Amino acid sequence: MFDAAALLGGRRARWLVTGGAGFIGSHLVEHLLRAGQDVVTLDNFATGHRRNLEEVEATVGPDARERHRFIEGDIRDPAACREACAGVTYVLHQAALGSVPRSIEHPADSHASNVTGFLNMLVAARDAGAQRFVYASSSSVYGDHPGLPKVEAETGEVLSPYAATKLANEIYARVFLRCYGLDTVGLRYFNVFGPRQDPNGPYAAVIPKWVEALLRHDTVWINGDGETTRDFCYVTNAVQANLRAAIAADGAVPGEVFNVAVHDQTSLNELFSTLRSLLTATDATIAQSQPQYRDFRSGDVRHSLADVSKARQLLGYVPSHTLRAGLQEALPWYVRQVR
C-alpha cells in the first residue's frame, strides 16, 4: 500500500491542490493531510463537490481543518490563482473541465478552463516562487498514434478539443521552464477511477456509471463492440505519481511528462464481466445482467496501454493497485452511494 507520510519523510510543506473538491484532487488533499502537510484547495465546484472535502475532513480527523484552507474560486480568474499560490511550495494542478464528449459539444468552455486557466496558474505559481508545478495531462494526447504501449516521446494527431487543451498544457509548461525557470512536471493519466468519482451526468466516467447501472438493474451501454481497450488506473496510483513528481530530486524530471497507469490492457467487455462478477456478491441477480451495444463515440481512442518505465525510473513510481485490487477497494464506496 502507498504511504504518503513515509514518502514525504516528515518534511512539512504547504501544498496547493487546484480542483481539490473533485475526484482526484480530493484524494490528494486527503493523503497530504494524513501525512501532516498544510494544504490549500482551490475549486469553483463546476465539477467537484463540497461533500468530497467534507468526507476528507471527516476521514482525516479534527486537526484537518487547522491545516486545510479552502478557497472557492475559478482558475479563469487570475486574482484567485494569485491568492491560492501565495506561500505554497508545491502546486498540484488538477482543475480542468474533463471529458472528450463535453469538449466536442463545448470547445470554448474547455479551452477557457483548460488552457487560459492553466496559463493563469502557471503565471501565479511563477510569481509566488513555487518550487514545483505538477499538472494533470492526459493519455488523450497520444491521439491517433497506433503504437502500443504508449511511450511519452511518441504521440500522434489529437482527436478532440479536450486532447488539444492537454497538449497545449504540456507546451506551455515546457515554455515556462525554459523562459522563467519554473519547474513543471506533467502526468498523463490513463482512465483513473476510484471513490468520489461522480456516476451522474452525461459525462460520467465508465466505471462509476456502470456500477450504478448494475446496482439499479438499469441498462449498461457499451460504445462500439466492447473490444476497445483501456489501461485503468486506481486513484491511489495517481496520488503516488503526483507526490513523487513534486519531490523528485533528479534533475532530469523538470519539463518532462510521465504516463500514470498500471501497464495493463483491459477491454470494455472484460471490464463489464469483472464488475458484474464482483457486484454479484452484493446482489446475486446481477449475475444475469447483459450489456447493450451502440455506436462508437466520436473522438475516442480505440486502444490504450501505457509504458510506465519512465515514471518508474525517474520518479520511483510503482503502481500499488491493479484494476481488480482497485475495484475491490472502491466498490464498497460506490455501493453506499447508490443505497
Side-chain angles (χ1 to χ4, degrees):
M1 297 298 292
F2 173 66
D3 185 343
L7 175 65
L8 298 177
R11 294 173 294 181
R12 186 169 175 176
R14 188 174 181 85
W15 301 68
L16 167 62
V17 181
T18 69
F23 161 47
I24 298 175
S26 67
H27 283 274
L28 286 166
V29 173
E30 179 178 342
H31 279 266
L32 287 168
L33 289 174
R34 284 182 180 276
Q37 303 297 299
D38 298 311
V39 183
V40 179
T41 298
L42 176 65
D43 206 300
N44 66 350
F45 299 116
T47 58
H49 302 281
R50 195 177 298 275
R51 65 176 179 268
N52 289 340
L53 293 178
E54 292 171 350
E55 182 177 314
V56 166
E57 292 186 346
T59 300
V60 175
D63 72 323
R65 291 179 181 271
E66 299 176 7
R67 292 182 286 106
H68 181 214
R69 180 192 178 202
F70 173 70
I71 300 171
E72 184 170 354
D74 196 314
I75 58 173
R76 294 173 298 179
D77 175 9
C81 297
R82 288 194 296 270
E83 180 184 0
C85 283
V88 303
T89 303
Y90 304 107
V91 176
L92 304 180
H93 180 61
Q94 312 298 308
L97 281 181
S99 168
V100 166
R102 187 206 309 268
S103 75
I104 290 174
E105 292 184 30
H106 306 290
D109 291 343
S110 292
H111 181 92
S113 290
N114 299 0
V115 181
T116 302
F118 185 81
L119 178 58
N120 288 340
M121 283 300 307
L122 284 173
V123 171
R126 177 201 66 184
D127 292 349
Q131 185 170 313
R132 184 160 291 170
F133 185 99
V134 180
Y135 63 95
S137 185
S138 166
S139 61
S140 65
V141 302
Y142 289 106
D144 64 0
H145 192 281
L148 288 178
K150 303 299 182 184
V151 179
E152 287 87 345
E154 301 174 2
T155 59
E157 294 294 326
V158 295
L159 301 177
S160 68
Y162 173 74
T165 67
K166 290 301 182 178
L167 182 58
N169 289 176
E170 295 185 4
I171 294 169
Y172 261 123
R174 288 193 295 270
V175 166
F176 266 65
L177 174 63
R178 293 192 188 103
C179 292
Y180 308 111
L182 176 64
D183 274 12
T184 58
V185 183
L187 302 176
R188 290 178 180 165
Y189 293 153
F190 281 69
N191 297 89
V192 182
F193 72 95
R196 305 192 197 116
Q197 194 172 27
D198 196 343
N200 301 308
Y203 309 119
V206 62
I207 288 178
K209 198 168 190 174
W210 285 6
V211 169
E212 182 176 57
L214 285 167
L215 290 170
R216 296 189 185 283
H217 302 286
D218 293 335
T219 300
V220 170
W221 289 100
I222 295 182
N223 298 321
D225 59 6
E227 291 308 302
T228 295
T229 60
R230 293 292 181 263
D231 194 336
F232 291 100
C233 179
Y234 190 55
V235 65
T236 302
N237 297 334
V239 170
Q240 179 196 161
N242 271 272
L243 301 193
R244 288 188 180 278
I247 66 171
D250 193 322
V253 168
E256 292 298 318
V257 293
F258 298 91
N259 291 335
V260 177
V262 179
H263 185 66
D264 185 26
Q265 195 170 16
T266 304
S267 74
L268 296 181
N269 287 327
E270 291 169 336
L271 174 64
F272 176 82
S273 295
T274 300
L275 288 172
R276 181 176 58 188
S277 174
L278 291 173
L279 287 171
T280 297
T282 301
D283 179 350
T285 64
I286 291 176
Q288 308 306 316
S289 299
Q290 296 295 328
Q292 297 294 313
Y293 296 85
R294 58 189 176 189
D295 290 342
F296 286 98
R297 193 172 66 173
S298 176
D300 272 355
V301 173
R302 179 61 163 159
H303 295 293
S304 188
L305 173 66
D307 181 334
V308 296
S309 59
K310 181 179 175 181
R312 186 186 301 269
Q313 177 184 354
L314 294 181
L315 302 181
Y317 168 75
V318 178
S320 59
H321 290 73
T322 62
L323 168 63
R324 191 175 188 88
L327 288 174
Q328 289 173 327
E329 190 168 300
L331 282 178
W333 186 93
Y334 288 134
V335 171
R336 288 196 301 273
Q337 306 318 299
V338 174
R339 292 178 172 177

